């Protein structure tokens, strides 16, 4: 019985960790489902269920562009590889979203398989090139790199190294994405998160991982260009509705 209980606890932790990987979908992470592709059915669900999300996004319509724009990166081959890896990452999550949210083992296995393959190559890339820059891989390549690092939780040292580099130089990434990686690293260390971006699922509901100083959470989220917490929770529920 003890062994069975330990196995069940390990399985539960695995499910929660995998769902955290899922929550870093590019469109969810930085805020925007409503600005996603026209055919995305999640967009209509969010618009109906979460009017606050639409209102918040309307304030971002004319937000300043990212700090750096590179038309021709010095390593387009690496840029293209990062983009392909990120596309594969997102495809696995898009196709499996509801199944992963409901703890479907096959869907979890597919997401973890893709993550493991990408992580192996990501480790090689960082060893060879260091932490990429927009001049090396362009703006889209940096975005793809960030998505891959978000899902590199089995290698916490890699995530911490990237976060340290991005804290010094954001490399054109939005503040919201730095916030997400900050929380991911903290949660993986077993620490309270700073910006409230990381959730797990309990009893069919989304539950935020422990937040540091919750009384000032709203202020910290605003500083990092994150939507209000109540809207973010609604966004998650509507996006991953069963």
């Amino acid at each position: 019985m003890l062994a069975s209980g330990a196995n069940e606890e390990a399985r539960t932790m695995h499910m929660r960790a995998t769902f955290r990987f899922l929550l870093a979908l590019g469109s969810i992470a930085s805020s925007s489902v409503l600005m996603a592709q026209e055919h995305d059915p999640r967009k209509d669900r969010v618009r109906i269920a979460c009017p606050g999300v639409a209102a918040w996004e309307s304030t971002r319509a004319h937000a300043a562009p990212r700090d750096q724009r590179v038309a021709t990166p010095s390593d387009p081959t690496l840029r293209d590889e990062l983009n392909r890896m990120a596309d594969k990452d997102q495809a696995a999550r898009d196709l499996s979203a509801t199944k992963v949210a409901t703890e479907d083992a096959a869907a979890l296995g597919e997401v973890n398989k893709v993550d493991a393959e990408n992580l192996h190559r990501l480790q090689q890339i960082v060893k060879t090139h260091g932490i990429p820059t927009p001049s090396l891989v362009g703006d889209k390549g940096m975005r793809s790199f960030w998505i891959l690092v978000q899902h590199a939780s089995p290698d916490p040292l890699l995530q911490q190294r990237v976060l340290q580099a991005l804290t010094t130089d954001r490399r054109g990434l939005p503040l919201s994405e730095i916030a997400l990686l900050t929380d991911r690293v903290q949660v993986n260390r077993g620490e309270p998160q700073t910006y409230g971006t990381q959730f797990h699922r309990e009893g069919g509901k989304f539950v935020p991982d422990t937040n540091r100083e919750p009384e000032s959470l709203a202020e910290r989220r605003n500083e990092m260009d994150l939507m209000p917490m109540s809207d973010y929770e609604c966004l998650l529920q509507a996006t991953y509705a069963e």
Side-chain angles (χ1 to χ4, degrees), residues 10-196:
R11 178 178 178 276
T12 299
M13 293 302 294
H14 170 76
M15 295 291 188
R16 289 184 180 179
T18 300
F19 195 69
R20 286 198 192 95
F21 298 163
L22 182 67
L23 295 187
L25 275 166
S27 58
I28 303 300
S30 300
S31 75
S32 184
V33 166
L34 302 185
M35 294 178 183
Q37 297 181 12
E38 287 299 320
H39 67 268
D40 192 337
R42 296 175 299 177
K43 187 167 64 173
D44 290 334
R45 291 205 303 268
V46 171
R47 182 179 288 111
I48 294 169
C50 311
V53 173
W56 186 87
E57 288 195 349
S58 70
T59 70
R60 317 311 306 152
H62 303 292
R66 295 183 180 187
D67 295 341
Q68 304 180 48
R69 292 285 179 179
V70 179
T72 307
S74 61
D75 195 337
T77 300
L78 179 59
R79 174 203 60 195
D80 292 346
E81 182 178 11
L82 288 170
N83 290 342
R84 287 193 298 270
M85 291 166 66
D87 287 345
K88 186 176 180 181
D89 169 293
Q90 296 291 272
R93 286 165 167 79
D94 282 338
L95 292 173
S96 308
T98 300
K99 290 183 178 180
V100 173
T102 55
E103 303 184 354
D104 180 272
L108 290 167
E110 178 60 25
V111 172
N112 282 328
K113 177 177 178 291
V114 169
D115 284 351
E117 292 171 352
N118 279 342
L119 175 57
H120 177 70
R121 177 59 184 141
L122 189 66
Q123 290 166 331
Q124 294 176 332
I125 289 171
V126 171
K127 183 176 181 180
T128 301
H129 300 277
I131 310 302
T133 62
S135 62
L136 182 69
V137 299
D139 182 74
K140 191 172 189 299
M142 283 303 304
R143 171 71 171 178
S144 295
F145 176 77
W146 173 83
I147 289 172
L148 296 167
V149 171
Q150 279 283 321
H151 301 155
S153 294
D155 189 344
L157 293 180
L158 173 63
Q159 287 186 320
Q160 292 171 33
R161 177 183 172 187
V162 172
L163 179 60
Q164 184 176 15
L166 294 178
T167 301
T168 303
D169 174 6
R170 286 197 284 131
R171 290 162 162 80
L173 293 173
L175 286 169
S176 58
E177 295 179 359
I178 306 302
L180 275 153
L181 185 55
T182 299
D183 282 354
R184 181 62 56 85
V185 167
Q186 290 171 334
V187 169
N188 286 343
R189 287 174 176 170
E191 301 170 357
Q193 59 179 334
T194 299
Y195 302 108

